[in-house]
């Protein structure tokens, strides 16, 4: 039967009003994951690969049980998480502060932007070993590497967010004779927030990469360290455990930032619903 | 109350100086409702920005109750041509913003904002966001917000610009009712002649760029007015006269 356009409209509205069911949100990804595991197992069986080339899901799962039991996975995850969060926080604070200065002052922008852009041409992999030599294999060098890698996207988004504040709103605050601080808290922060949280999302996943890069360059703990040690021992199952844990870590962080964003930007939901 | 003397303004553009206003003088008495009509680009928004202290004219002065105006003043409120509600704030928080900036305590703030929301007929929408409002409702919020500081002069730049004719008329009538409860004088830019006749005590006609005041009309329709007064015989006469003077200001021989 054909739907009239108004019926379609209502159906669309109803679909929007109903929260996506648990099945859609969790069941579907779990199903694809199960399919992925089956495919993996099939490849291992058909190719008859030895465990030091491609271990099957069962072997990886057993390894996971092992590293969970001896506490090593927790230890390494903790080390990486610390570096990721530390680097993200440091990078965020420095990038937003500098971004504010760059967005507000033409002089600061002229003086610094060539260096900032040029710094992006240097791959972080190239300077990570240097930082490890200078600052040691401990947490500090990892935080630094994470901070460096998240710095640029957050900086760019801070500037874009601030530049995007509508002129009419700046003029409104001027007419109300708001102080600089009031302009910052009541206008610039909320107006730039959507773009800023987008930068933070990118930063969260990049920070995980930064931690691994740092741990590869030289470390005594962390998931990257665990992977590179397992690599030396042809313990591919352990490498898989490390990779999956990293992915889970990145996914969790991303989800967390997404959640914070939805909380902070609840007001946008109204607009989005209506523009549908 | 408000006096502007010999105001001229030239914008500096990439193509050289551009004369937007030419020797504008006007006065607005306390509580008066003045409408400003003129062709597009004649400098109406420019004049409003100058009167609001947002823009420094290249020549001339503005006084409010004897004080020279060269920066935004709390006695003057502006509703600009472009909507400027904060999309992340609720209606209540948008209306209360000026008081928040003045650090008025929360309880009193909300109470005064609430009263104005009721005055503009938006009771029940306090918690809505601007994106959930119609164009006319958003303009009511802007009006409520600009009234909260109890300004002695309200400058409105085509506040009903993007709205349809019926909504405009209805909002126009409501604006009259609101204005009668307030002490504010209003200077309103409009491109609707019938709207000007309905609302104003006096209508100023601006010429093509650079804007000069080419005519003034006293609208002597009795108050309180309704739509009927704008469509009355006298209202029609005035509208025709204003239209004629607008047209003559547009003709190339002028
Ligand atoms: N910031 C600016 N810089 C340069 N020129 C400007 C600027 N603002 C306005 N102008 C020019 O000044 C003239 C008058 O502009 P204004 O916005 O005051 O006109 P208006 O009467 O409000 O027009 P409309 O009815 O279309 O809103 C126009 O020719 C415009 O191009
Ligand atoms: Mg204008």
């Amino acid at each position: 039967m054909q739907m009239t356009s108004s019926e379609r409209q209502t159906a669309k509205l109803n679909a929007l009003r109903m929260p996506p069911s648990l099945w859609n949100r969790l069941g579907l990804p779990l199903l694809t994951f199960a399919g992925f595991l089956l495919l993996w197992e099939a490849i291992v069986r058909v190719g008859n690969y030895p465990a030091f080339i491609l271990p099957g899901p069962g072997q990886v799962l057993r390894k996971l049980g092992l590293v969970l039991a001896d506490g090593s996975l927790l230890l390494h995850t903790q080390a990486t998480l610390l570096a990721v969060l530390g680097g993200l926080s440091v990078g965020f604070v420095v990038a937003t502060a500098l971004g504010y200065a760059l967005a507000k002052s033409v002089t600061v922008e002229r003086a610094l932007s060539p260096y900032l852009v040029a710094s992006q041409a240097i791959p972080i992999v190239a300077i990570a070993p240097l930082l490890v030599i200078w600052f040691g294999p401990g947490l500090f060098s990892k935080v630094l590497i994470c901070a460096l890698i998240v710095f640029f996207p957050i900086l760019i988004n801070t500037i874009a967010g601030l530049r995007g504040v509508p002129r009419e709103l700046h003029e409104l605050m001027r007419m109300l004779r708001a102080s600089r601080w009031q302009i910052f808290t009541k206008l610039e922060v909320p107006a730039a927030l959507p773009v800023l949280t987008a930068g933070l999302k990118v930063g969260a996943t990049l920070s995980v990469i930064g931690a691994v890069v740092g741990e590869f360059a030289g470390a005594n703990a962390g998931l990257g360290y665990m992977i590179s040690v397992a690599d030396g021992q042809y313990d591919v199952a352990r490498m898989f455990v490390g990779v999956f844990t990293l992915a889970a870590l990145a996914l969790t962080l991303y989800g967390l930032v997404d959640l914070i964003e939805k909380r902070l930007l609840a007001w946008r939901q109204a607009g989005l619903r209506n523009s549908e | 109350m408000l006096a502007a003397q010999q105001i001229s303004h030239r914008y500096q553009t990439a193509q050289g100086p551009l004369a937007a206003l030419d020797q504008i003088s006007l006065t607005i008495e306390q509580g008066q409702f003045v409408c400003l009509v003129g062709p597009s680009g004649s400098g109406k928004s420019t004049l409003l920005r100058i009167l609001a202290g947002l823009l420094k004219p290249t020549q001339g002065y503005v006084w409010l109750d004897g004080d020279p105006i060269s920066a935004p003043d709390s006695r003057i409120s502006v509703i600009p041509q472009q909507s400027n509600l904060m999309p992340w704030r609720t209606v209540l928080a948008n209306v209360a913003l000026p008081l928040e900036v003045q650090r008025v305590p929360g309880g009193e703030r909300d109470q005064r904002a609430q009263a104005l929301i009721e005055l503009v007929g938006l009771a029940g929408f306090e918690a809505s966001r601007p994106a959930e409002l119609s164009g006319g409702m958003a303009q009511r919020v802007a009006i409520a917000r600009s009234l909260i500081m109890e300004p002695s002069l309200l400058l409105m730049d085509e506040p009903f610009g993007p709205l349809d004719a019926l909504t405009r008329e209805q909002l126009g009538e409501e604006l009259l009712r609101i204005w009668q409860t307030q002490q504010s004088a209003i200077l309103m830019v409009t491109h609707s002649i019938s709207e000007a006749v309905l609302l104003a005590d006096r209508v100023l006609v601006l010429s093509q760029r650079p804007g000069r005041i080419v005519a003034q009309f006293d609208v002597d329709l009795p108050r309180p007015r309704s739509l009927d007064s704008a469509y009355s015989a006298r209202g029609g006469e005035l509208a025709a006269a204003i239209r004629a003077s607008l047209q003559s200001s547009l003709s190339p021989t002028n």
Side-chain angles (χ1 to χ4, degrees), chain B:
Chain B
M1 186 193 63
L2 179 99
Q5 220 174 50
Q6 304 279 348
I7 291 186
S8 298
H9 191 73
R10 265 189 314 277
Y11 284 110
Q12 297 304 327
T13 69
Q15 290 81 41
L18 181 142
L21 290 173
D22 182 28
Q23 308 248 338
I24 303 261
S25 296
L26 59 89
T27 58
I28 300 171
E29 300 307 326
Q30 197 167 344
Q32 218 179 22
F33 202 135
V34 179
C35 276
L36 183 64
V37 297
S40 181
S42 57
K44 305 181 295 293
S45 298
T46 305
L47 179 59
L48 244 61
R49 290 170 54 79
I50 290 171
L51 298 181
L54 285 169
L55 185 68
K56 212 175 145 46
T58 25
Q59 267 168 47
Y61 301 94
V62 181
W63 283 279
L64 184 69
D65 294 331
D67 307 326
I69 297 287
S70 57
D73 191 291
S74 62
R75 292 167 294 177
I76 303 178
S77 248
V78 187
I79 300 180
Q81 205 164 352
Q82 305 276 302
S83 161
N84 65 351
L85 299 178
M86 292 182 169
W88 55 88
R89 283 180 173 246
T90 62
V91 166
L92 186 75
N94 262 298
V95 174
L97 176 71
L99 296 181
E100 214 178 297
V101 171
Q102 301 295 310
R103 300 195 179 76
V104 173
E108 185 196 338
R109 205 161 70 202
D110 287 353
Q111 209 177 338
R112 280 170 66 184
Q114 184 65 43
L116 278 165
I117 288 170
E118 275 157 32
L119 179 72
V120 299
L122 281 181
F125 290 94
E126 294 81 1
S128 303
R129 313 273 172 185
E132 298 167 306
L133 305 178
S134 71
M137 290 161 86
Q139 280 306 347
R140 290 163 198 252
V141 179
I143 292 171
R145 183 182 62 191
S146 58
L147 288 175
I148 205 163
M149 295 302 292
E150 294 167 354
S152 44
L153 176 64
L154 184 53
L155 302 171
M156 306 170 97
D157 198 348
E158 300 197 36
F160 311 139
L163 305 174
D164 63 276
L166 273 173
T167 313
R168 292 180 77 106
E169 289 188 337
Q170 189 202 342
L171 274 178
E173 272 194 319
E174 256 180 73
L175 180 62
L176 273 184
R177 176 181 60 79
I178 291 164
W179 170 62
Q180 266 139 19
T181 69
Q182 307 283 315
Q183 310 297 313
S184 310
I186 295 181
L187 175 64
M188 178 169 136
V189 173
T190 174
H191 57 248
S192 159
I193 294 170
S194 60
E195 196 167 275
V197 171
L198 165 67
L199 298 173
D201 296 312
R202 193 146 50 91
V203 178
L204 307 176
V205 180
L206 228 55
S207 72
Q208 253 182 326
R209 192 171 62 77
R212 280 174 300 110
I213 294 181
V214 287
Q216 297 198 29
F217 296 88
D218 284 314
V219 182
D220 47 8
L221 300 172
R223 293 195 189 268
R225 294 182 195 158
S226 66
L227 281 174
D228 296 336
S229 6
Y231 291 125
S232 67
R234 177 70 187 133
E237 253 174 58
L238 278 162
I242 295 169
R243 182 165 294 112
S245 108
L246 253 176
Q247 244 141 29
S248 71
S249 83
L250 273 175
S251 65
T253 49
N254 188 291

Side-chain angles (χ1 to χ4, degrees), chain A residues 96-149:
Chain A
T96 46
L98 194 63
Y100 192 82
L102 283 166
K104 288 274 136 172
S105 154
V106 186
T107 325
V108 176
E109 196 198 346
R110 292 231 173 96
L112 294 185
S113 66
Y115 300 100
L116 290 169
V117 174
S119 76
Q120 285 313 293
I122 306 169
I124 198 86
V125 194
I127 49 171
L130 207 58
L131 294 175
V132 173
I133 292 171
W134 288 343
F135 301 106
L139 182 64
F140 186 73
S141 59
K142 310 300 169 295
V143 169
L144 210 60
I145 292 164
C146 291
L148 279 175
I149 206 169

